Amino acid sequence: MKTCLVVDDSRVIRKVARRILEELGFEVAEASDGAEALAWCRVVMPEAVLVDWQMPVMGGLDFLRRLRLEPGGQTPKVVFCSVENDLDRIREALDGGADEYIMKPFDGEIMAYKLAAAGVAA
């Protein structure tokens, strides 16, 4: 079973994402910010990461840049999940190493499509 790490400071968003991802066949882990997520990845590198842009302690883009420098950090497919809809910000995430981008709010169909587009399916 593939693992997806959901990184979001909103417990509600993590819960919704977990439910969708589990229905898609993923084992799900959660982190409330980028620093917690990076520590988790240093122990167990997931196949996929769903990450929010704006979070306390360490935001999504900083997390992504640091993840890609970790041993094995190029492997996970990273999907940004944010309310950010400015094209320059979306491009910044993709240029920073994200594989896909999902706008909040999202549903299971969108999540399945974006994960498949990123090259990861359960």
Side-chain angles (χ1 to χ4, degrees):
M1 182 178 290
K2 291 190 177 182
T3 303
C4 184
L5 176 60
V6 178
V7 188
D8 200 299
D9 55 325
S10 167
R11 193 168 78 54
V12 172
I13 295 295
R14 291 194 313 267
K15 184 177 179 178
V16 169
R18 172 183 285 278
R19 188 176 66 242
I20 291 169
L21 289 162
E22 286 176 346
E23 288 174 4
L24 293 173
F26 284 89
E27 184 178 317
V28 180
E30 299 179 22
S32 60
D33 61 59
E36 185 180 333
L38 194 59
W40 197 90
C41 290
R42 287 177 176 149
V43 175
V44 180
M45 194 62 73
E47 284 81 12
V49 179
L50 181 69
V51 63
D52 186 24
W53 189 288
Q54 305 243 353
M55 295 177 289
V57 184
M58 182 189 298
L61 195 55
D62 287 338
F63 160 76
L64 176 59
R65 289 177 177 148
R66 291 181 188 193
L67 172 69
R68 295 304 192 206
L69 296 174
E70 291 292 318
Q74 291 295 323
T75 304
K77 299 298 183 181
V78 177
V79 178
F80 259 84
C81 180
S82 181
V83 295
E84 284 285 343
N85 62 4
D86 183 293
L87 289 178
D88 289 337
R89 297 287 279 180
I90 294 170
R91 175 57 47 207
E92 184 179 5
L94 295 172
D95 288 347
D99 297 286
E100 273 295 336
Y101 198 95
I102 297 175
M103 296 293 300
K104 290 180 186 175
F106 53 85
D107 60 23
E109 187 177 330
I110 291 169
M111 182 85 67
Y113 174 79
K114 290 293 189 169
L115 287 169
V120 64

